[in-house]
Amino acid sequence: MYRHILVGLDESAGAQQALESAIDLAVVHDATLTLLSVEEHLPVYAASIGEVEETEQELSARYQQVQQIAVQRATGRGVQVETLIYAGAAAQTITRAAEAGGYDLIVIGAGKHGLLWSGLLGSTAVRVVETAPCSVLVVRHSALNIWVREVMRPDVFTVHPETPSADVASLLLERGVKAVPVVDHAGQVAGIITGGDLLERGGLSLRLSLHQQVDPETVRDQLARLSAGGRIASDVMTDEVTTISDRAPRREAARLMAQRHIKRLPVLDAHGCLRGIFSRADVLRYIAALGSAPAPEPSPAGFPHAGGRFVSDVFDLAVLTVTPQSRLDEVVGKVVTTPARQVVVIDEQRHVLGVITDADLIGRLSGPAHAGLLHLLRSHLPFLGGDDVGQQALVDLHEQRALDVMQHESSVIQAGATIVEAIQRMMAERQKRLSVVDQQRRLVGIVDRQALLRALSQLP
């Protein structure tokens, strides 16, 4: 049982994470908090009394601002708070304050200091642990330790179990979203519906992301087929839904999505009601926005060492390729049979020249070739078999080449790049996967969002 908790506080991310943990503990144990900020580095050499006083006043003003914000956060949770500002060496000052005040617990962050404490807080934390007169909780800061509720999307569109599947598809198309939670009338999550669910169980024959590439008549035909099927949301939804609490750290959300190969999580409050949705893209977008993190040092041989921190640790060697002169029926055969729905265009030396996706094919083909391709995609025919229309489609595609439809700008990343750099590139260019190249820009593999998320969830 903790009654009096001392928190080491500055403006660093690690200290802020420690504050959040201390507030949670204080709520659970009905404890009081004392926020201690330490003015650690003051002018010493050739400093006048006026210079020292000026620095003390500047630091005190900054600490007062940091503490004022922290007090508001704590009192908003019903926690009683007092504040202290001392001068001295951080670890020694925290230890002495804990002893003098008779505290039950010290909570301190681990990570890099902000501007107010210099050096590594990790080393300060170690010294506090070694000399403290009471228990010490060291909170490791990570970009993935932010609470899910702080970054989830609260504006979630929902449907009910009895909503017609055609209305669900229309909602996804109109809103430009990839999934919609199904909630009962009490606000409890009963399931979730994605474009894949509509393809598998709803009667949809063309995946939702391709509807932007086809004419309005084709879209209307798709929705009419769904409506005629008479299915409702409860018929097509995935009812075993992985959810997460709004009080869970982002790291837990990333781990769940990586382990279960899912792209999004409905977020629930303490009563089990839907509060928002949290997606794989939300994790990656946040990491990309943090800016470049220091990379681990490479090995003496010049190759990145293992540990999941580099693209070379996580990319997939299996990637389907074609050449600019490959026949389009061969290209389509590869595109429609791979889950990635794309192939990479390379030259004889395996230099990356471009990429071709199913959306590229639909958008750039016309006439009989376009109609035949849509038929192949809608009917999910085996590429080398199928009906007469499918066979004719192969003939129409045979005379064209990959060069006619490829994107000449392909997103690539060096195998030696960090996963953070790969995420930044992926999010900046709005890509779901990147071609991985060696130092001579020769293709060696491919990396996708799932691989990067899995690597993130394993980092400390």
Side-chain angles (χ1 to χ4, degrees), residues 7-11 15-16 19 35-38 63 66-67 70 107 116-117:
V7 186
L9 182 67
D10 70 351
E11 64 183 359
Q16 298 303 313
L19 173 65
L35 310 179
L36 171 60
S37 300
V38 183
Y63 275 128
V66 171
Q67 290 186 342
V107 181
L116 301 184
W117 288 355

Side-chain angles (χ1 to χ4, degrees), residues 131-442:
T131 59
C134 60
S135 299
V136 180
L137 172 63
V138 179
V139 180
R140 173 176 290 178
H141 171 69
S142 165
L144 294 176
N145 282 341
I146 304 299
W147 302 121
V148 167
R149 70 173 183 270
E150 297 181 41
V151 289
M152 70 181 184
R153 285 173 289 167
D155 51 340
V156 183
F157 301 101
T158 62
V159 297
H160 294 298
E162 62 272 16
T163 302
S165 61
D167 292 350
V168 175
S170 295
L171 176 65
L172 294 175
L173 288 171
E174 291 170 5
R175 302 296 183 180
V177 294
K178 302 295 180 61
V180 58
V182 182
V183 299
D184 60 24
H185 294 284
Q188 304 284 321
V189 176
I192 192 167
I193 298 177
T194 67
D197 293 321
L198 291 171
L199 278 172
E200 183 179 348
R201 294 184 291 275
L204 193 70
S205 58
L206 194 66
R207 63 189 181 93
L208 288 174
S209 60
L210 295 180
H211 282 70
Q212 297 177 347
Q213 306 293 329
V214 300
D215 58 89
E217 183 179 350
T218 299
V219 176
R220 287 193 295 270
D221 177 66
Q222 291 278 295
L223 295 178
R225 287 172 179 269
L226 288 180
S227 183
R231 296 181 179 90
I232 59 177
S234 60
D235 296 326
V236 300
M237 69 184 186
T238 297
D239 53 11
E240 294 184 3
V241 187
T242 301
T243 62
I244 195 162
S245 167
D246 61 352
R247 298 281 307 180
R250 187 191 305 242
R251 176 177 297 280
E252 176 64 15
R255 185 189 63 80
L256 277 175
M257 287 187 284
Q259 285 184 346
R260 304 191 182 185
H261 298 275
I262 53 180
K263 299 177 182 178
R264 57 195 62 84
L265 294 167
V267 181
L268 309 182
D269 63 17
H271 304 289
C273 294
L274 183 68
R275 284 203 58 191
I277 200 160
F278 185 75
S279 72
R280 180 176 67 186
D282 293 328
V283 178
L284 300 180
R285 193 177 298 113
Y286 179 79
I287 297 298
L290 289 179
S292 297
E297 292 295 327
S299 67
F303 295 98
H305 44 67
R309 296 177 181 269
F310 293 92
V311 173
S312 59
D313 299 324
V314 299
F315 76 84
D316 189 352
L317 292 169
V319 51
L320 292 180
T321 62
V322 297
T323 69
Q325 296 304 317
S326 294
R327 298 192 315 268
L328 214 53
D329 54 346
E330 175 192 346
V331 173
V332 173
K334 290 186 175 182
V335 169
V336 301
T337 55
T338 174
R341 293 293 191 266
Q342 76 167 42
V343 294
V344 179
V345 185
I346 58 174
D347 63 16
E348 294 180 356
Q349 290 76 41
R350 295 189 64 82
H351 297 136
V352 177
L353 303 178
V355 67
I356 300 174
T357 68
D358 55 357
D360 296 327
L361 291 166
I362 290 177
R364 300 185 185 190
L365 292 177
S366 59
H370 180 271
L373 175 64
L374 283 181
H375 178 76
L376 289 171
L377 294 174
R378 283 199 301 259
S379 58
H380 307 288
L381 293 170
F383 189 69
L384 296 179
D387 57 16
D388 293 340
V389 177
Q391 291 296 326
Q392 183 58 48
L394 300 184
V395 174
D396 294 330
L397 294 167
H398 183 79
E399 299 303 320
Q400 300 190 56
R401 296 290 182 263
L403 184 63
D404 300 327
V405 297
M406 63 181 280
Q407 296 181 42
H408 291 273
E409 295 296 329
S410 178
S411 297
V412 301
I413 191 77
Q414 290 278 342
T418 66
I419 62 171
V420 172
E421 291 169 336
I423 291 168
Q424 290 173 326
R425 173 74 58 82
M426 192 173 284
M427 303 313 292
E429 299 180 7
R430 298 184 178 181
Q431 298 293 329
K432 293 184 178 180
R433 54 192 60 84
L434 302 172
S435 299
V436 182
V437 297
D438 61 17
Q439 293 182 348
Q440 287 73 44
R441 294 185 63 83
R442 294 173 301 199

